[in-house]
């Protein structure tokens, strides 16, 4: 992209500017620290001033009180050495015991450059001798010339660490300030990227170093919106087509069912002819149910089925459906067993009673359709935390692991057996899932504890 060279140029420029500013600031900090240090010549000047101020009297050598007070204040000891004998002819009262009282020429040379027993020493020339001033051990660090402040050397690691920290902070602030505009242009782009999966239309300003990215996102959003619009048109056309076909088939199908029902009950026909008419009635009923299922599934998929959620007792709804099945004179080969705890009499949910009944009917009918030799259908309702769990299972032929996985993950439930006269489309399970989804619940298809097929519905309590 063309934006990449712009970004690289920008970042290189920021790096060079930051390095230059850091170099200048470091020099300024170093100058400020050096300015606060004790002047290099100050202790030497003090020694020279002391040497000139010492006076010889009949009692010996003396220093003015002002100078002595200044030396005592700084805890400085003093020794005055005779030029000829090298012996100490005067010393201050705070002279350490480890300081010698006689010096050779080499001793003078050593103490002038360095220390006496760790005390930094400085010398000054008097009229007939040499004054030696000894400063506290932690006052100066001597390296020939000049002398350094001891605290500066002792705190040097801490000073370096502070400077490095300040440098890092400075680089960070320079980066933030210099890239504020860039960061402001990045935020709309990230918001636009997050809005793309939701299908929202985005319109970003196409300017700045990231203008190319913004332009591409705008075009992508436009393409997705157009695709969404075209898809919605196709889905609407499909829903309308299903509704139209359903409407057009109902009238001729009702006539076929009516005439076939009359032929089935016509005693003038022989047994074989009445059986054929019965097959026509049975298959016509399957077609009618299939049309109703297709229509309802289409309405649920496109949110065209009105839902009237009110507070319901799921146990009552399930009992009513089971009773309705038992009252339709179903064959004795289908039995119902309740696994609901006798103490559980209320399972409050908020939903559409008719749709929930349809879901339970589909599950029970599903067990009957796939177990023509008969089975036992088990009904269980469990309260778990804030959910109401309905399990409808059977001990019939069940399904393979592959079929269970396919039913749980396929976008639709359209399957056909090899026997084309007994096709099973699985729309009943699709409708169950759509109804449960519309009520904020989940549907799980699994193996039954009784060896057959089971469907687990979880609905939130209200």
């Amino acid at each position: 992209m063309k934006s990449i060279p712009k970004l690289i140029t920008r970042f290189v420029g920021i790096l060079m500017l930051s390095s230059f500013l850091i170099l200048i600031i470091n020099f300024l900090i170093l100058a400020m620290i050096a300015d606060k240090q004790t002047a290099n010549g100050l202790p030497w000047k003090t020694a020279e001033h002391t040497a000139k101020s010492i006076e010889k009297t009949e009692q010996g050598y003396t220093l003015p009180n002002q100078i002595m007070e200044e030396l005592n204040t700084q805890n400085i000891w003093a020794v005055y050495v005779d030029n000829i004998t090298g012996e100490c002819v005067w010393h201050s009262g705070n002279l350490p015991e480890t300081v010698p009282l006689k010096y050779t020429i080499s001793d003078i040379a050593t103490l002038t450059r360095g220390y006496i027993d760790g005390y930094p020493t400085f010398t000054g020339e008097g009229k007939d001798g040499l004054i030696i001033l000894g400063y506290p051990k932690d006052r100066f660090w001597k390296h020939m010339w000049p002398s350094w402040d001891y605290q500066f050397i002792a705190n040097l690691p801490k000073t370096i660490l502070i400077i490095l920290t300040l440098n890092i902070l400075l680089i960070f602030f320079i980066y933030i300030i210099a890239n504020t505009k860039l960061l402001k242009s990045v935020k709309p782009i990230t918001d636009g990227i997050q809005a793309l999966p939701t299908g929202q239309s985005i319109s970003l300003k196409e300017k700045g170093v990231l203008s190319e990215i913004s332009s591409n996102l705008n075009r992508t959003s436009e393409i997705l919106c157009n695709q969404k619009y075209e898809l919605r048109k196709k889905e609407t056309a499909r829903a309308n087509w299903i509704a139209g076909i359903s409407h057009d088939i109902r009238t001729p199908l009702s006539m076929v069912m009516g005439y076939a029902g009359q032929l089935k009950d016509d005693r003038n026909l022989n047994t074989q002819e009445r059986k054929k008419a019965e097959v026509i009635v049975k298959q016509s009923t399957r077609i009618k149910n299939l049309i109703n299922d297709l229509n309802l599934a289409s309405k649920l998929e496109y949110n065209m089925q009105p839902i009237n959620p009110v507070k319901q007792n799921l146990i009552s709804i399930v009992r009513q459906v089971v009773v309705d099945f038992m009252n339709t004179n179903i064959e004795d080969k289908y039995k119902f067993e309740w696994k609901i705890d006798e103490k559980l009499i209320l399972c409050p949910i908020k939903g559409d009673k008719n749709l929930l009944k349809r879901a339970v009917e589909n599950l029970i009918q599903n067990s009957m359709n796939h177990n023509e030799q008969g089975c036992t259908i088990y009904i269980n309702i469990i309260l778990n935390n804030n959910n109401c769990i309905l399990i409808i299972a059977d001990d019939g032929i069940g399904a393979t692991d592959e079929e269970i996985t396919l039913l749980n993950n396929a976008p639709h439930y359209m399957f056909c057996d090899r026997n084309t006269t007994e096709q099973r489309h699985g729309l009943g399970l699709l409708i169950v899932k759509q109804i449960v989804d519309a009520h904020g619940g989940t549907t799980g298809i699994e193996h039954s504890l009784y060896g057959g097929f089971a469907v687990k519905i979880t609905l939130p309590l209200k």
Side-chain angles (χ1 to χ4, degrees):
M1 296 189 302
K2 296 180 181 179
S3 302
I4 299 300
K6 293 181 180 179
L7 287 174
I8 293 176
T9 303
R10 182 182 181 87
F11 290 143
V12 170
I14 292 173
L15 178 62
M16 295 178 64
L17 177 62
S18 301
S19 301
F20 176 76
L21 290 177
I22 288 173
L23 183 63
I24 296 299
I25 291 174
N26 284 342
F27 274 118
L28 292 175
I29 293 175
L30 183 61
M32 291 171 59
I33 294 175
D35 182 65
K36 293 182 179 181
Q37 303 304 309
T38 304
N40 292 330
L42 180 61
W44 299 98
K45 291 180 179 180
T46 302
E48 290 177 358
H49 179 64
T50 304
K52 291 178 180 180
S53 300
I54 195 169
E55 296 177 353
K56 185 176 182 181
T57 63
E58 295 179 357
Q59 291 79 18
Y61 292 90
T62 61
L63 273 177
N65 293 333
Q66 182 180 358
I67 296 179
M68 282 301 302
E69 289 179 0
E70 181 180 348
L71 295 179
N72 291 333
T73 301
Q74 300 184 51
N75 199 19
I76 300 173
W77 52 262
V79 173
Y80 191 59
V81 180
D82 184 76
N83 285 334
I84 299 175
T85 63
E87 292 183 353
C88 174
V89 295
W90 175 88
H91 64 79
S92 61
N94 59 348
L95 183 69
E97 295 180 356
T98 55
V99 175
L101 298 178
K102 187 173 183 178
Y103 299 87
T104 63
I105 296 176
S106 60
D107 292 334
I108 297 298
T110 300
L111 66 88
T112 301
R113 292 182 304 166
Y115 303 80
I116 294 179
D117 191 32
Y119 295 94
T121 52
F122 302 87
T123 58
E125 183 179 359
K127 293 180 180 180
D128 51 0
L130 184 70
I131 192 73
I132 302 173
L133 297 184
Y135 282 77
K137 294 181 178 181
D138 59 353
R139 184 66 179 88
F140 288 106
W141 177 79
K142 291 182 66 177
H143 181 66
M144 297 297 291
W145 185 276
S147 300
W148 296 82
D149 190 296
Y150 183 86
Q151 292 298 325
F152 170 72
I153 299 300
N155 295 325
L156 187 60
K158 185 188 298 184
T159 304
I160 294 175
L161 181 61
I162 292 174
I163 292 174
L164 289 176
T165 303
L166 292 175
N167 287 342
I168 294 173
L169 292 175
L170 180 61
I171 293 174
F172 175 78
F173 284 117
I174 291 176
Y175 178 82
I176 293 298
I177 294 172
N179 290 281
T180 298
K181 188 175 181 181
L182 177 63
L183 294 176
K184 288 181 178 179
S185 63
V186 168
K187 188 179 185 304
I189 292 177
T190 56
D191 293 340
I193 293 174
Q194 293 175 351
L196 283 178
T198 64
Q200 299 178 18
S201 176
I202 61 174
S203 179
L204 304 177
K205 295 181 180 179
E206 299 179 8
K207 64 179 183 179
V209 294
L210 301 179
S211 59
E212 187 177 356
I213 298 177
S214 300
S215 176
N216 290 334
L217 282 176
N218 288 336
R219 288 197 294 271
T220 302
S221 175
E222 183 178 355
I223 293 172
L224 291 177
C225 289
N226 290 335
Q227 291 178 345
K228 184 178 180 181
Y229 173 73
E230 294 297 329
L231 180 61
R232 188 182 296 112
K233 286 176 58 179
K234 292 180 180 179
E235 291 175 345
T236 303
R238 185 176 70 170
N240 292 335
W241 180 81
I242 292 175
I245 291 296
S246 301
H247 181 269
D248 292 340
I249 290 178
R250 281 194 181 98
T251 300
L253 183 62
S254 298
M255 296 177 63
V256 171
M257 294 179 66
Y259 288 129
Q262 293 177 11
L263 293 174
K264 182 188 70 169
D265 298 330
D266 191 350
R267 297 299 178 181
N268 295 324
L269 299 178
N270 57 43
T271 304
Q272 186 176 3
E273 291 173 338
R274 290 201 304 271
K275 285 184 177 180
K276 290 180 180 179
E278 185 178 354
V279 171
I280 295 174
V281 173
K282 183 178 180 181
Q283 295 303 320
S284 298
T285 303
R286 290 174 62 86
I287 294 174
K288 179 181 178 181
N289 293 334
L290 175 59
I291 292 172
N292 292 334
D293 287 347
L294 278 171
N295 204 23
L296 178 59
S298 177
K299 289 181 179 180
L300 289 171
E301 182 176 359
Y302 301 116
N303 298 320
M304 293 187 294
Q305 173 66 34
I307 297 178
N308 302 310
V310 295
K311 192 170 183 180
Q312 306 284 351
N313 183 7
L314 184 61
I315 298 177
S316 299
I317 294 176
V318 175
R319 287 185 185 276
Q320 184 177 348
V321 173
V322 173
V323 170
D324 291 341
F325 268 95
M326 297 177 67
N327 290 337
T328 56
N329 296 320
I330 61 174
E331 302 177 29
D332 293 337
K333 59 184 178 181
Y334 297 110
K335 298 180 180 180
F336 292 92
E337 283 197 17
W338 292 88
K339 296 294 181 180
I340 303 175
D341 189 349
E342 295 180 357
K343 298 180 180 179
L344 184 62
I345 58 175
L346 182 64
C347 191
I349 61 172
K350 192 174 184 180
D352 188 305
K353 183 176 181 179
N354 293 329
L355 288 178
L356 292 173
K357 286 181 63 177
R358 180 64 180 275
V360 178
E361 290 171 358
N362 284 4
L363 294 179
I364 295 176
Q365 190 65 52
N366 184 73
S367 293
M368 293 181 177
N369 291 342
H370 299 346
N371 297 282
E372 295 183 354
Q373 303 303 319
C375 68
T376 300
I377 301 174
Y378 301 88
I379 312 294
N380 191 10
I381 298 178
I382 305 170
L383 285 178
N384 182 17
N385 294 331
N386 294 322
N387 295 317
C388 184
I389 301 175
L390 168 64
I391 302 174
I392 297 181
D394 61 59
D395 57 0
I397 60 175
T400 64
D401 292 339
E402 182 180 357
E403 290 172 337
I404 294 292
T405 301
L406 188 60
L407 288 170
N408 278 314
N409 298 285
H412 56 78
Y413 298 128
M414 298 288 189
F415 301 99
C416 292
D417 290 333
R418 294 179 180 177
N419 184 359
T420 56
T421 62
E422 294 295 336
Q423 291 183 349
R424 52 189 176 95
H425 296 266
L427 271 175
L429 292 177
L430 172 61
I431 292 173
V432 170
K433 184 177 185 300
Q434 290 176 323
I435 292 174
V436 173
D437 288 344
H439 288 79
T442 59
T443 306
I445 300 172
E446 56 192 32
H447 294 291
S448 168
L449 297 176
Y450 312 99
F453 191 80
V455 178
K456 180 180 180 181
I457 295 175
T458 303
L459 294 171
L461 291 174
K462 298 295 182 181

